[in-house]
Amino acid sequence: GSDIRVSLLRRHLMLIANRKNSDVVLSSVPGRGAYGAGKSKVAGMSFLAPRALTVAEGDAWERLRPFNEHVLASGETHPFAQKFLDDIRRQFAKPVCDIGELRAAMGRAMADIVLGASDDGKSNPSADIQVLFRVVQNPVRRKLFGFSYRGRRLRLYEQLMRRWTGSADSEQTLIARARVHATSVDVDEEALLEQVPHWMFTFTGSGTDLLARTLALITSRADVHRRVLDEIKNAGEPSTVETVGKLPFLNACLLETGRLFPPVTRTFHRSTSGDDKDDEIVHYFPLLQRDDALGPTVHDFLPERWLEPTLDEAARSSNLFLRGPRGCPGQDLILFVCRAASARLLGELHLSGRSRLLAHDPLPISFPESDARFTAPEETS
């Protein structure tokens, strides 16, 4: 329960070890409170998008936060949800056998939802964004070989600018919605474009991990699998947004999977005052969300906990989308995407999977990635 201080190569780190202290840090308004974005996080994002919301502070954060919330429709069903659902269903028209195929399908859906149709038929924004974020997340690769990725970064931003300037006001993509809304934001166009890569990576990064792990857990537990299939069957026509909104248990499975196996495992802050000024503050979410003090079922897969009128301690400890001012503005959209893809794969393509490690509680701390393998009847392949 006590925070852990570590000195490493003249760097001072503080590992947050309980939720109360974590909440104090996460609730601080960037640039206005006692904590800001960590140096590690700023250094990484500066390679790709130095003015991204995730590292913005002060006035910049206060302008960019509403912009991101508007484009991504935080807290509501996205106004382009039906078009997005059509995109998802098209890209998940065939079964997948592993997380690699899931990531590829999510990448194609991302390109449709964020950018729309490719403007040259050759670009692969999904591959570009995955490669660039691997550099963002790897300080050694960034320092030693970052120069070799500049061409790929330039190519990505050239494509973003073409789609930004070439999209029609009526086009139902995130980048078109961003361009239309740009006139009401006191931020230059280049800074607004720097918000887009993070939207893109959420699909192929944390979104794919959450989807794959949820599918693996559901299909490894007969009772959960049966309940999800019954819910999908009874929800209505699968190609409508209204149906995707009638899947509370499936949504609870996503939330519970993210609690147990957070796809984003850590984030970094720094103190902006006092003796600890500029110390790197590390939140390691598997440690925070699996604290035995949260109750006897903290290591168990219990989606039902998310359907109770009052969430239990384990659910309240979840940092799947962070909390407070740094909370993910796109959480409702990515949950919609994951629900729609799951319903398509499970309810229509009859995906199945059997992991012995995931079939029983308590669950391991780390997700067994090799167990995210799936099969489907031959007639749907």
Side-chain angles (χ1 to χ4, degrees), residues 202-230:
T202 298
F203 285 80
T204 56
S206 56
T208 296
D209 291 340
L210 178 62
L211 175 59
R213 295 168 184 180
T214 303
L215 291 171
L217 274 162
I218 289 173
T219 56
S220 295
R221 299 178 176 230
D223 55 337
V224 175
H225 194 181
R226 184 164 48 251
R227 182 171 174 179
V228 167
L229 292 178
D230 287 345

Side-chain angles (χ1 to χ4, degrees), residues 19 26 46 55 70 157 194 205 207 231 240 269 285 295 306 336 338:
R19 184 189 166 190
L26 293 178
S46 292
V55 293
H70 175 84
Y157 274 101
E194 289 182 14
E231 182 178 68
T240 68
H269 288 73
F285 297 130
W306 294 93
F336 173 84
C338 289

Side-chain angles (χ1 to χ4, degrees), residues 275-309:
D275 296 336
D276 301 326
K277 186 176 181 180
D278 294 329
D279 281 6
E280 197 83 343
I281 301 169
V282 184
H283 299 251
Y284 185 63
F285 297 130
L287 175 68
L288 290 166
Q289 296 175 194
R290 293 288 200 100
D291 184 351
D292 287 324
L294 296 172
T297 64
V298 72
H299 303 290
D300 299 351
F301 180 67
L302 296 174
E304 296 86 354
R305 74 172 87 239
W306 294 93
L307 303 176
E308 296 296 327

Side-chain angles (χ1 to χ4, degrees), residues 127-323:
D128 285 343
I129 204 67
Q130 290 179 67
V131 168
L132 290 169
F133 261 90
R134 281 198 291 271
V135 180
V136 166
Q137 295 168 339
N138 188 321
V140 175
R141 180 182 296 184
R142 195 169 61 246
K143 290 181 179 180
L144 295 180
F145 307 108
F147 68 91
S148 65
Y149 296 93
R150 291 171 184 164
R152 190 184 289 265
R153 181 186 186 280
L154 178 62
R155 181 174 68 193
L156 174 66
Y157 274 101
E158 286 176 344
Q159 183 176 14
L160 294 183
M161 180 56 75
R162 286 196 300 271
R163 295 305 302 152
W164 179 278
T165 57
S167 60
D169 289 359
S170 59
E171 187 174 313
Q172 294 191 345
T173 62
L174 292 183
I175 201 163
R177 182 171 167 86
R179 184 187 60 78
V180 170
H181 187 57
T183 57
S184 62
V185 183
D186 184 21
V187 179
D188 65 81
E189 193 174 72
E190 185 177 338
L192 296 181
L193 271 184
E194 289 182 14
Q195 310 311 304
V196 182
H198 210 282
W199 306 343
M200 298 168 70
F201 181 67
T202 298
F203 285 80
T204 56
S206 56
T208 296
D209 291 340
L210 178 62
L211 175 59
R213 295 168 184 180
T214 303
L215 291 171
L217 274 162
I218 289 173
T219 56
S220 295
R221 299 178 176 230
D223 55 337
V224 175
H225 194 181
R226 184 164 48 251
R227 182 171 174 179
V228 167
L229 292 178
D230 287 345
E231 182 178 68
I232 294 170
K233 180 180 178 181
N234 295 326
E237 170 56 47
S239 60
T240 68
V241 171
E242 290 73 22
T243 295
V244 178
K246 296 177 183 177
L247 303 173
F249 185 70
L250 178 55
N251 195 65
C253 288
L254 288 161
L255 295 173
E256 181 70 346
T257 301
R259 182 191 69 81
L260 289 161
F261 303 109
V264 178
T265 59
R266 59 197 178 276
T267 190
F268 300 89
H269 288 73
R270 76 183 194 286
S271 175
T272 58
S273 62
D275 296 336
D276 301 326
K277 186 176 181 180
D278 294 329
D279 281 6
E280 197 83 343
I281 301 169
V282 184
H283 299 251
Y284 185 63
F285 297 130
L287 175 68
L288 290 166
Q289 296 175 194
R290 293 288 200 100
D291 184 351
D292 287 324
L294 296 172
T297 64
V298 72
H299 303 290
D300 299 351
F301 180 67
L302 296 174
E304 296 86 354
R305 74 172 87 239
W306 294 93
L307 303 176
E308 296 296 327
T310 302
L311 297 182
D312 65 9
E313 284 295 321
R316 290 201 298 273
S317 74
S318 178
N319 279 294
L320 173 56
F321 298 106
L322 294 185
R323 293 189 295 275

Side-chain angles (χ1 to χ4, degrees), residues 1-214:
S2 300
D3 298 337
I4 303 168
R5 293 186 180 278
V6 180
S7 293
L8 181 65
L9 299 177
R10 292 187 295 179
R11 295 182 63 197
H12 301 289
L13 309 177
M14 182 170 69
L15 180 63
I16 300 292
N18 69 70
R19 184 189 166 190
K20 181 179 179 180
N21 291 353
S22 175
D23 284 346
V24 170
V25 177
L26 293 178
S27 64
S28 179
V29 175
R32 302 294 191 213
Y35 301 96
K39 291 182 178 180
S40 300
K41 190 171 186 178
V42 173
M45 284 305 299
S46 292
F47 170 80
L48 179 60
R51 288 178 286 182
L53 177 65
T54 187
V55 293
E57 297 187 354
D59 292 341
W61 179 86
E62 291 180 355
R63 289 192 293 267
L64 290 171
R65 180 75 196 191
F67 172 79
N68 278 267
E69 289 179 346
H70 175 84
V71 175
L72 301 172
S74 297
E76 60 182 298
T77 300
H78 202 283
F80 300 162
Q82 185 59 58
K83 187 265 183 186
F84 294 168
L85 178 58
D86 295 341
D87 294 334
I88 296 162
R89 291 177 58 78
R90 181 172 61 255
Q91 300 304 345
F92 283 91
K94 295 181 180 180
V96 296
C97 70
D98 56 31
I99 193 169
E101 292 188 0
L102 267 173
R103 208 176 301 280
M106 283 287 274
R108 295 191 299 270
M110 175 275 294
D112 289 343
I113 290 170
V114 179
L115 303 176
S118 173
D119 54 359
D120 58 13
K122 300 177 182 179
S123 300
N124 187 347
S126 176
D128 285 343
I129 204 67
Q130 290 179 67
V131 168
L132 290 169
F133 261 90
R134 281 198 291 271
V135 180
V136 166
Q137 295 168 339
N138 188 321
V140 175
R141 180 182 296 184
R142 195 169 61 246
K143 290 181 179 180
L144 295 180
F145 307 108
F147 68 91
S148 65
Y149 296 93
R150 291 171 184 164
R152 190 184 289 265
R153 181 186 186 280
L154 178 62
R155 181 174 68 193
L156 174 66
Y157 274 101
E158 286 176 344
Q159 183 176 14
L160 294 183
M161 180 56 75
R162 286 196 300 271
R163 295 305 302 152
W164 179 278
T165 57
S167 60
D169 289 359
S170 59
E171 187 174 313
Q172 294 191 345
T173 62
L174 292 183
I175 201 163
R177 182 171 167 86
R179 184 187 60 78
V180 170
H181 187 57
T183 57
S184 62
V185 183
D186 184 21
V187 179
D188 65 81
E189 193 174 72
E190 185 177 338
L192 296 181
L193 271 184
E194 289 182 14
Q195 310 311 304
V196 182
H198 210 282
W199 306 343
M200 298 168 70
F201 181 67
T202 298
F203 285 80
T204 56
S206 56
T208 296
D209 291 340
L210 178 62
L211 175 59
R213 295 168 184 180
T214 303

